[in-house]
């Protein structure tokens, strides 16, 4: 079984590479892909660079060039749901693109004709994550993640995203990865640990907590690999 693990920023995959220690590097299309073996699983790991476009390229490459059969995303996010504090984990049940706007033609926010407003995550991987959370005695919120090519550091925009999509967290890559996996029929799982609350302190908190929250997410993904390996 070949599994892709992706992040957007280098900080999001470094903890994984540090845990694995041994891997092979392969450069392709402006990114570095790391191939490793873990407990009988074949892994391909990469960070895409920030945003929907780069993450689309990386997810597609992992599937089409490297032959990934499942994709796990590990990274950080801005919290919308006030129950989510810095370092807390959220697994996406569904993802949407909050920055898509062709409402001038009567379409709802986030909707592209022939696309889906919400793309749902794989149920099997979500159940696996719930088992892992139980075993680790960690709380794992399941909810909607809204994606857009914007770092949100503004209460008003955040509240609009919250009410328009009933979203619990926001980031910049989940939905584009979901679009790729859905189209190519590859089960996917998007995990994020909170780095900030997408408010006026977001920039400051993001810098302060990127590393520690990215580690929380990566540690959880490693435990999911343990389960997928058996
Ligand atoms: C932010 C990263 C991008 O990959 C999306 C983090 C955490 N908080 C967020 C927020 N709004 C949107 N997304 C997020 N990730 C990239 S901008 C900072 C770049 O600094 C999730 C996320 N509030 C690079 C150094 O110059």
């Amino acid at each position: 079984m070949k599994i892709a693990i992706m992040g957007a920023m280098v900080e999001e995959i470094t903890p994984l590479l540090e845990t694995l220690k041994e891997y092979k590097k392969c450069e392709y299309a402006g990114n570095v892909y790391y191939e490793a073996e873990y407990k009988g699983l074949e892994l391909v790991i990469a960070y895409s660079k920030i945003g929907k476009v780069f993450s689309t390229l990386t997810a597609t490459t992992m599937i089409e060039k490297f032959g990934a059969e499942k994709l796990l995303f590990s990274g950080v996010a801005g919290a919308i749901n006030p129950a989510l504090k810095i370092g807390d984990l959220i697994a996406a049940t569904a993802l949407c693109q909050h920055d898509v706007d062709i409402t001038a033609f009567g379409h709802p926010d986030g909707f592209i004709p022939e696309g889906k407003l919400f793309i749902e995550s794989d149920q099997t991987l979500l159940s696996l994550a719930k088992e892992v959370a139980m075993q680790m005695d960690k709380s794992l919120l399941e909810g909607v993640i809204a994606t857009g090519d914007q770092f949100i550091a503004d209460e008003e925009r955040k509240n609009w995203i919250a009410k328009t999509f009933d979203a619990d967290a926001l980031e910049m890559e989940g939905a584009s990865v979901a679009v790729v996996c859905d189209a190519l029929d590859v089960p996917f799982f998007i995990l994020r640990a909170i780095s900030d609350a997408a408010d006026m302190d977001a920039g400051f908190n993001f810098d302060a907590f990127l590393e520690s929250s990215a580690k929380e997410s990566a540690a959880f993904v490693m435990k999911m690999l343990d389960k997928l390996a058996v």
Side-chain angles (χ1 to χ4, degrees):
M1 166 83 69
K2 192 146 187 183
I3 298 175
I5 313 175
M6 72 176 280
M9 300 179 74
V10 67
E11 290 86 348
E12 291 172 325
I13 67 156
T14 298
L16 298 164
L17 297 177
E18 280 174 355
T19 308
L20 295 167
K21 292 185 188 79
E22 266 183 66
Y23 42 80
K24 197 178 93 196
K25 266 168 81 167
C26 175
E27 283 187 41
Y28 184 78
N31 286 110
V32 181
Y33 292 84
Y34 300 89
E35 292 177 283
E37 217 201 276
Y38 181 72
K39 298 187 177 176
L41 298 170
E42 287 178 274
L43 305 179
V44 54
I45 303 171
Y47 75 93
S48 58
K49 300 189 279 282
I50 294 160
K52 295 196 294 179
V53 175
F54 284 125
S55 57
T56 298
L57 173 62
T58 297
T60 306
T61 301
M62 288 173 133
I63 296 165
E64 290 292 301
K65 183 172 169 67
F66 291 91
E69 297 158 280
K70 289 184 197 296
L71 187 150
L72 314 179
F73 190 105
S74 179
V76 300
I80 296 177
N81 187 328
L84 287 171
K85 306 300 178 203
I86 285 167
D88 287 355
L89 295 167
I90 174 167
T93 51
L95 299 106
C96 62
Q97 298 183 58
H98 69 69
D99 58 349
V100 162
D101 183 351
I102 49 170
T103 55
F105 299 90
H107 293 296
D109 279 295
F111 181 74
I112 295 176
E114 298 182 49
K116 297 172 185 165
L117 183 44
F118 291 99
I119 297 180
E120 285 174 22
S121 305
D122 181 66
Q123 283 302 330
T124 309
L125 289 172
L126 274 173
S127 317
L128 198 77
K130 271 192 252 187
E131 279 177 40
V132 168
M134 289 253 271
Q135 272 181 5
M136 291 177 83
D137 201 21
K138 278 223 169 247
S139 70
L140 173 70
L141 188 95
E142 288 177 70
V144 170
I145 293 184
T147 301
D149 279 331
Q150 300 159 356
F151 183 83
I152 308 294
D154 172 76
E155 208 77 53
E156 211 178 305
R157 177 74 190 160
K158 163 176 142 171
N159 291 336
W160 180 85
I161 294 167
K163 77 167 195 297
T164 308
F165 303 101
D166 201 15
D168 296 289
L170 54 84
E171 33 84 313
M172 303 177 68
E173 300 85 13
S176 38
V177 169
V179 167
V180 170
C181 293
D182 183 56
L184 297 173
D185 232 350
V186 169
F188 70 92
F189 176 74
I190 312 282
L191 181 74
R192 300 274 184 169
I194 299 305
S195 57
D196 59 84
D199 53 11
M200 69 184 205
D201 299 323
F204 178 83
N205 285 333
F206 176 79
D207 282 338
F209 298 109
L210 166 63
E211 245 185 80
S212 57
S213 294
K215 270 188 197 159
E216 289 288 333
S217 178
F220 192 94
V221 161
M222 286 307 303
K223 295 274 190 235
M224 285 187 69
L225 292 181
D226 290 339
K227 288 234 174 241
L228 287 166
V230 293

